[in-house]
Amino acid sequence: MSSSVLVIDDSLTVRMDLKSAFETGGYACTLAATLAAGRAALRDGIFNLIVLDVQLPDGDGVSFLSELKATIETRAIPVIMLSLEADVRARVRGLTTGADEYVGKPYDKRYLLGCADELIRSRRSDPAVHQLPNLLVIDPSETFRQWLKQLVEPNGYHMVEGQSGAQGLRLTAEIQPAAIVVDDQMTGIDGLTFISRIKSNSVLREIPCVFFTDSDDPGTEIRALEAGVDAFMRKREDPAMLLIRLGALTHSREAMRATDGAKSLFGNKKLLGIGLDLSYLHRLAGELLSDDYEMAIAETVAEALQLLAVRRADCILIESASAAATFFRQIRDSPDWRTIPLIVLADDPASATVREALSAGVDDCVVKSDDFAVAKAQLRNLLRRKQVADRNRQAREVQLRDETRAAAAEALVMGQLAETRARLLAELETKNTELIGARETALEALRIKSEFMMNMSHEIRTPLNGILGMTELLLETDLTDEQAEFARTVSVSGTLLLNIVNDILDFTKLDEGKVVFEQIDFDLAGVLESTIELFAKEAHSKGIELMLEYGSEVSTTISGDAYRLRQVLNNMLGNAMKFTHAGEVILRVAAAAQTADEASFRFEVRDTGIGIPPEAQARLFVPFSQADASTTRKYGGTGLGLTISKKLVERMRGRIEIESVPGKGSSFHFTAMFARPTTAAPAESSDLRLQGMLALIVDDNATNRAVVAKTLLSWGMVAESAASGALSLAAMRRRAAENRPYQVVIIDAEMPEMDGPALARTVRSDPALLNTPLWLMNPVGDSATSGARRRKDFDGCVTKPVRPSDLHKSLSALLEPDAPDAGQSAHGSAQPALQLSSASANPAVAPLRVLVVDDNLVNLKVAERQLRKLGYRVDLAGGGKAAIEALFSTHYTVVLLDCEMPEMDGYDTVAEIRRRENNRRHTIVVAMTAHALEGARLRCLDAGMDEYIAKPVSLQALTAVLERCALLETSVVGSPLSAKA
């Protein structure tokens, strides 16, 4: 709930300026141009803060402040006074009257808002501000206290109860109530003693006290008044009169506190009597004269006002017949007369006239009687209260003079500060204008840069699509060795150029903060295995051992951006493969910090490559930098890969680090934080049958032996290892002799002296080892003939680098009594169940038709050749309009649609396709575009396309997207749409 502010100022400019400032700061702001409008607003609502100008057209702001502080409903509202900076007197008057803060004009809006926040926060943190005024009732009777509580609490008081005089004194000191109601008859400290002690205390004497009694003895009233009682009442009197008297007493006390007028104290001896019963007034004056009271008498209110103009009055006594509410308001609103005590002289203290007078601000009522003792005691009591208030006011006047002198000196300094502030504000305004201009210039430059990058990407990717696509197709034809070498060189060069373009685009997007990270649930182990598999052929061709190691805690589903994680891993593995000529490259992943909502993992890529000198390591993450210039010439690259990886890792709330020794290799490791999946995936229970199985790993590479062994151990198996075929044979024969044969032996295909197939033949020829289950770790890229020859004597096969999921599946299949060949289950040659290219697999079925739409002739040729190679019938269209005509005359399974075309681009084309379908069969549309910047895919999908593929398009990428389209096609089989088609 927002706080509310009332601004009272006659300047429209100031009001609108403050309204804007407060509403920007989260406040609800009400405006008033006059004091009358301010009073009306306070009647209609409650405010948390008032901003009040000193000079207003219908009155003085300080006088209005005094009125606010004298009213129970508004006294707790913080008030900030506004006036000219040099008006020191107004400032002092405002602060001494009760203003919480003073702000000079011209004001600083930030400072003003800061003051408002602090005042409202401090008031809300002070529980006393939100409480009703406390009324302390001291009476031994529980029945009377409950009766009084039911009377006063619905009328705006919070009643605190005490049973004895001693308890009442303690409570008075603790809470300092707004008023005290005390009984005369109490054990220990009686009512009169209690009153005397309160009135003799300099801190508590101003608290109004009401004396309650059941006695009719006039002497009791006189003794109570002489003790200092502010009001005397009998318990059988009208309850409504009690509420009126309490209101009058508390109002009188607050009015005295809020007064700032300067008056001299000559002694409380001058009185003014008003009334038509002159005989009574003269007898009362004569009686009072004996106590040195001098009373002037006026027959009418008008005559009394004339006397007040020329004569001081310390108390006014007025007959009820002459009482007028306008006269009382005139006295209370006057800065010179507002503290003069008012007493009504009445025959009936419970009359309506007396009640109206007390409600209008009269302090007390005296019953007209020939016994003037009560009147004199009551008069002395009122004048004593006035004298205490005057003494307090004198002390405030001394303080006021001191503050005035200090404020004058401060005003001089503040005037100088105001000039300095005005000058600084002008300079700040100039600087802000310059900064706004610079920002607009920078934003325009950024927009131009983004457009340039987008156009550059499109224009470069379009010819690259033709170069790489045609080269890929060319390499599938019959070429001489020299021609094949030329074509491979063109393909490698084109791929390198594409990688450079991608790096520059990624760096630009990250630098501009335009990379959006997706939050999608994915299987972490699956991402790791598919990533490592991309580098398997390269590793085998270079003779490098490529390995993946992770524990069971990594085989989990997490939520994040799998594409960006794979991008970092690809960069690190690519660098490791590039700079390693012999030895090994390993990707290790382990769990780090874990919470109920998030999971952190540590990724490490370690190689045995050329290493990096310490002085060059600091430059690795600088854009367009590598370890040295010769590295760029020898190995290629833009020097952006690690910079991009660092930025991506930081976006994943992680950190990337390096450890490297020249000549021995490097280790790049980073951490990344991921969320738990939105829907918890069912936990994959490990096959309990694998637990306790005895396995032997045979490999000449120690690291790979350790990695596979650690994987088996994580499944509860018992793993041993051997570094050669000869050592493994000795181990197997020893175990057979102990009648504890190995339950599975996992053998590397390529080892010195005795390779995997030779070892398998030896095992099969030994009667003691004949039935040992043998598993082959075969290198990737084996031809069908050589792979079948190698697997001849093996029970199963996994491809290196070993994927833990494949190995687990393969070993579990070994335990099935009627399981098919485990090698086929793990790496079978069966085709996927869903294929869009099923026509090519079954000659009896007509090939499926695909429509390619592009305005570039080379791109059309590339797509046509690629699709025909995959077994599709292909039709071509040179623009959107031609595509619409072709599509609604012939059924096409898929439409490959370029986005940037003249006349009718891809977005308009797909919109027209969707419009014309009109509940007929849904046409699968794939965006085939050279736009690869962030958001291009989302824009295509939002436009109504089903899939997206970026140029240049490879056969592998095209096959993958068509397989996804096959899933889309079968998902609508049997639906009303397909039935209509």
Side-chain angles (χ1 to χ4, degrees):
M1 180 177 177
S2 62
S3 299
S4 57
V5 179
L6 173 61
V7 176
I8 307 175
D9 196 296
D10 58 334
S11 169
L12 178 61
T13 302
V14 172
R15 292 199 305 274
M16 299 311 296
D17 186 49
L18 290 179
K19 179 179 175 67
S20 173
F22 278 116
E23 289 182 348
T24 302
Y27 291 88
C29 189
T30 301
L31 304 180
T34 63
L35 292 178
R39 288 189 182 95
L42 287 167
R43 283 195 299 270
D44 295 338
I46 299 175
F47 298 92
N48 301 104
L49 177 72
I50 298 174
V51 179
L52 177 62
D53 189 21
V54 171
Q55 299 295 332
L56 289 155
D58 58 342
D60 178 27
V62 177
S63 299
F64 183 69
L65 172 63
S66 176
E67 179 182 326
L68 294 174
K69 295 302 179 182
T71 305
I72 293 176
E73 292 79 4
T74 59
R75 70 176 63 159
I77 302 176
V79 178
I80 298 177
M81 297 294 294
L82 288 178
S83 76
L84 294 175
E85 191 77 46
D87 192 351
V88 179
R89 183 173 180 81
R91 179 183 186 186
V92 174
R93 288 177 59 225
L95 292 175
T96 54
T97 303
D100 297 270
E101 186 54 83
Y102 170 90
V103 176
K105 297 180 181 179
Y107 50 81
D108 184 342
K109 285 187 284 189
R110 288 177 299 180
Y111 174 75
L112 185 61
L113 280 175
C115 291
D117 291 340
E118 180 63 27
L119 287 172
I120 293 175
R121 185 165 52 250
S122 62
R123 288 303 173 107
R124 284 177 174 170
S125 63
D126 182 6
V129 172
H130 307 286
Q131 293 177 353
L132 297 171
N134 287 320
L135 176 64
L136 176 58
V137 177
I138 309 167
D139 196 294
S141 171
E142 174 71 19
T143 303
F144 175 75
R145 293 200 307 272
Q146 289 302 316
W147 171 81
L148 192 57
K149 185 173 185 177
Q150 294 175 4
L151 175 66
V152 299
E153 289 200 340
N155 288 278
Y157 293 93
H158 173 253
M159 189 173 126
V160 180
E161 301 179 39
Q163 300 180 13
S164 65
Q167 187 182 11
L169 290 173
R170 179 177 57 80
L171 289 172
T172 303
E174 287 180 0
I175 66 174
Q176 295 193 18
I180 303 173
V181 175
V182 60
D183 187 44
D184 64 334
Q185 299 295 326
M186 295 186 295
T187 57
I189 301 175
D190 62 11
L192 293 177
T193 305
F194 176 86
I195 296 293
S196 299
R197 293 190 181 183
I198 293 295
K199 295 304 179 180
S200 63
N201 186 290
S202 59
V203 177
L204 308 176
R205 66 177 60 172
E206 289 189 48
I207 300 176
C209 296
V210 179
F211 191 81
F212 260 82
T213 181
D214 289 321
S215 174
D216 293 325
D217 182 13
T220 302
E221 183 175 0
I222 294 172
R223 287 191 297 274
L225 292 171
E226 288 177 344
V229 165
D230 297 277
F232 181 91
M233 293 194 70
R234 291 179 173 82
K235 290 186 177 181
R236 61 178 178 273
E237 292 186 23
D238 186 1
M241 179 61 71
L242 172 62
L243 291 175
I244 294 172
R245 298 287 290 274
L246 285 175
L249 288 171
T250 53
H251 174 80
S252 173
R253 182 189 183 199
E254 295 302 327
M256 288 184 179
R257 284 184 173 180
T259 301
D260 72 335
K263 301 182 181 71
S264 300
L265 184 64
F266 299 103
N268 301 315
K269 298 294 184 180
K270 294 186 178 296
L271 310 177
L272 174 61
I274 308 172
L276 297 175
D277 191 352
L278 297 180
S279 62
Y280 176 78
L281 291 177
H282 282 298
R283 282 188 288 121
L284 177 60
E287 190 69 28
L288 293 174
L289 187 60
S290 62
D291 289 341
D292 295 330
Y293 289 101
E294 177 187 339
M295 186 170 80
I297 297 175
E299 294 187 31
T300 63
V301 168
E303 184 181 348
L305 291 174
Q306 292 175 359
L307 287 173
L308 285 173
V310 296
R311 185 180 186 278
R312 176 173 63 90
D314 298 310
C315 184
I316 299 175
L317 298 92
I318 183 170
E319 280 191 307
S320 59
S322 301
T326 55
F327 172 71
F328 299 139
R329 283 197 295 271
Q330 190 172 0
I331 295 297
R332 291 300 179 226
D333 291 343
S334 170
D336 296 321
W337 304 332
R338 67 176 60 174
T339 59
I340 300 176
L342 291 169
I343 295 178
V344 172
L345 303 173
D347 295 314
D348 180 9
S351 66
T353 304
V354 173
R355 296 187 185 196
E356 291 176 3
L358 291 172
S359 300
V362 170
D363 296 277
D364 210 341
C365 171
V366 173
V367 178
K368 294 171 66 175
S369 170
D370 291 335
D371 183 2
F372 296 105
V374 173
K376 287 196 291 184
Q378 204 159 354
L379 179 62
R380 281 194 297 269
N381 189 25
L382 280 173
L383 293 179
R384 187 184 303 114
R385 287 170 52 200
K386 179 178 182 295
Q387 190 172 30
V388 169
D390 286 343
R391 287 199 189 104
N392 292 340
R393 186 164 53 249
Q394 275 188 318
R396 288 198 296 270
E397 288 174 2
V398 173
Q399 182 183 5
L400 175 62
R401 286 194 295 270
D402 293 339
E403 289 181 353
T404 302
R405 286 193 292 268
E410 185 181 352
L412 180 61
V413 176
M414 293 179 69
Q416 296 172 348
L417 290 175
E419 293 178 2
T420 304
R421 185 173 65 180
R423 177 175 54 80
L424 292 176
L425 287 174
E427 293 177 1
L428 180 63
E429 186 68 25
T430 302
K431 292 290 184 184
N432 286 341
T433 303
E434 294 174 356
L435 287 174
I436 291 172
R439 179 177 180 274
E440 291 176 351
T441 302
L443 289 175
E444 179 63 18
L446 186 62
R447 184 189 63 78
I448 295 173
K449 175 184 174 183
S450 298
E451 289 183 359
F452 169 75
M453 295 304 299
M454 181 178 65
N455 292 332
M456 183 196 75
S457 169
H458 184 271
E459 296 305 321
I460 293 178
R461 285 174 179 274
T462 299
L464 270 179
N465 185 55
I467 295 170
L468 293 178
M470 286 299 187
T471 304
E472 187 178 24
L473 293 171
L474 181 62
L475 286 170
E476 297 292 330
T477 63
D478 293 330
L479 300 174
T480 65
D481 292 342
E482 186 177 27
Q483 289 171 336
E485 181 64 26
F486 291 162
R488 279 192 293 272
T489 302
V490 173
S491 179
V492 170
S493 299
T495 303
L496 178 60
L497 178 58
L498 178 62
N499 290 337
I500 291 173
V501 172
N502 289 336
D503 281 350
I504 292 174
L505 290 177
D506 279 339
F507 176 74
T508 302
K509 288 184 289 186
L510 283 165
D511 200 40
E512 295 175 359
K514 292 186 176 180
V515 172
V516 178
F517 276 67
E518 294 181 328
Q519 200 73 19
I520 299 174
D521 295 350
F522 67 92
D523 177 48
L524 178 57
V527 170
L528 299 175
E529 292 181 352
S530 61
T531 301
I532 202 79
E533 193 174 26
L534 296 175
F535 299 90
K537 286 186 178 180
E538 182 183 355
H540 183 253
S541 66
K542 295 181 70 173
I544 296 172
E545 194 76 36
L546 180 62
M547 293 161 284
L548 169 64
E549 177 186 330
Y550 63 81
S552 57
E553 70 278 5
V554 177
S555 298
T556 183
T557 300
I558 55 178
S559 182
D561 196 324
Y563 172 77
R564 297 301 176 189
L565 173 62
R566 187 181 283 110
Q567 185 176 356
V568 177
L569 294 174
N570 282 343
N571 178 263
M572 291 187 173
L573 288 168
N575 285 342
M577 295 299 300
K578 183 192 300 183
F579 297 108
T580 302
H581 304 298
E584 60 193 38
V585 173
I586 182 169
L587 169 60
R588 286 191 175 98
V589 184
Q594 306 282 314
T595 67
D597 300 321
E598 294 181 318
S600 176
F601 295 90
R602 185 181 187 274
F603 303 81
E604 178 188 13
V605 176
R606 183 178 292 275
D607 63 60
T608 56
I610 61 176
I612 304 170
E615 62 275 9
Q617 292 178 17
R619 300 195 302 271
L620 287 177
F621 300 103
V622 177
F624 305 103
S625 296
Q626 290 188 338
D628 57 57
S630 62
T631 301
T632 305
R633 290 194 298 271
K634 183 175 181 180
Y635 296 99
T638 61
L640 284 174
L642 285 175
T643 303
I644 294 170
S645 296
K646 181 175 183 291
K647 289 180 178 291
L648 291 174
V649 168
E650 289 172 349
R651 289 287 301 275
M652 290 187 282
R653 293 184 291 161
R655 181 179 178 183
I656 188 170
E657 295 177 330
I658 177 177
E659 298 172 6
S660 184
V661 178
K664 293 187 177 181
S666 304
S667 171
F668 285 87
H669 47 88
F670 69 92
T671 56
M673 184 72 73
F674 301 93
R676 298 291 186 186
T678 52
T679 302
E684 295 185 4
S685 59
S686 178
D687 195 332
L688 297 179
R689 293 172 299 174
L690 295 178
Q691 294 185 7
M693 281 185 64
L694 182 61
L696 177 66
I697 302 106
V698 186
D699 197 322
D700 61 308
N701 185 282
T703 304
N704 196 50
R705 289 199 308 272
V707 169
V708 176
K710 187 174 180 180
T711 301
L712 299 181
L713 290 172
S714 69
W715 301 333
M717 298 176 65
V718 179
E720 297 179 356
S721 61
S724 66
L727 291 174
S728 67
L729 284 171
M732 284 187 278
R733 286 165 180 160
R734 184 178 67 253
R735 286 290 187 182
E738 295 172 353
N739 200 24
R740 289 190 60 201
Y742 290 107
Q743 293 168 279
V744 64
V745 179
I746 303 173
I747 304 170
D748 185 27
E750 297 176 338
M751 295 185 294
E753 298 180 4
M754 181 185 292
D755 62 10
L759 176 58
R761 288 193 296 272
T762 304
V763 171
R764 297 305 182 204
S765 63
D766 188 331
L769 306 178
L770 177 64
N771 295 321
T772 303
L774 302 180
W775 240 252
L776 178 67
M777 292 188 291
N778 200 39
V780 72
D782 244 2
S783 66
T785 303
S786 64
R789 187 169 58 251
R790 280 182 172 180
R791 292 195 296 269
K792 178 182 177 183
D793 295 307
F794 287 89
D795 299 280
C797 174
V798 291
T799 304
K800 295 179 71 175
V802 177
R803 298 173 58 161
S805 61
D806 284 350
L807 181 59
H808 187 279
K809 186 187 303 181
S810 183
L811 292 178
S812 297
L814 171 68
L815 301 174
E816 296 293 337
D818 299 323
D821 182 66
Q824 286 296 321
S825 66
H827 294 280
S829 57
Q831 296 295 327
L834 294 173
Q835 285 199 21
L836 203 62
S837 56
S838 56
S840 62
N842 186 357
V845 181
L848 301 179
R849 302 187 71 165
V850 176
L851 176 65
V852 181
V853 186
D854 200 311
D855 62 319
N856 185 286
L857 184 59
V858 175
N859 288 339
L860 287 173
K861 289 182 178 179
V862 171
E864 181 185 17
R865 297 296 179 88
Q866 289 176 329
L867 290 167
R868 290 190 188 281
K869 184 173 180 62
L870 294 175
Y872 294 93
R873 290 180 60 188
V874 183
D875 290 340
L876 305 178
K881 292 182 179 179
I884 296 296
E885 295 174 1
L887 190 61
F888 289 94
S889 61
T890 305
H891 171 67
Y892 294 98
T893 308
V894 174
V895 178
L896 300 180
L897 180 63
D898 185 31
C899 291
E900 296 294 332
M901 297 182 294
E903 295 184 7
M904 190 175 191
D905 62 17
Y907 308 109
D908 293 337
T909 302
V910 73
E912 181 64 17
I913 291 173
R914 298 298 180 226
R915 189 187 67 81
R916 293 195 183 190
E917 283 176 349
N918 193 23
N919 294 330
R920 291 185 298 171
R921 182 184 181 91
H922 179 81
T923 303
I924 297 177
V925 179
V926 178
M928 188 171 64
T929 176
H931 285 307
L933 287 173
E934 196 76 29
R937 174 186 177 87
L938 185 60
R939 184 186 177 191
C940 292
L941 297 179
D942 288 344
M945 304 182 197
D946 301 281
E947 269 292 346
Y948 166 93
I949 185 170
K951 297 176 183 177
V953 179
S954 65
L955 272 173
Q956 182 181 5
L958 185 59
T959 303
V961 77
L962 291 175
E963 286 178 354
R964 293 197 296 272
C965 290
L967 293 173
L968 290 173
E969 178 75 11
T970 47
S971 68
V972 296
V973 171
S975 68
L977 293 177
S978 58
K980 289 180 182 180

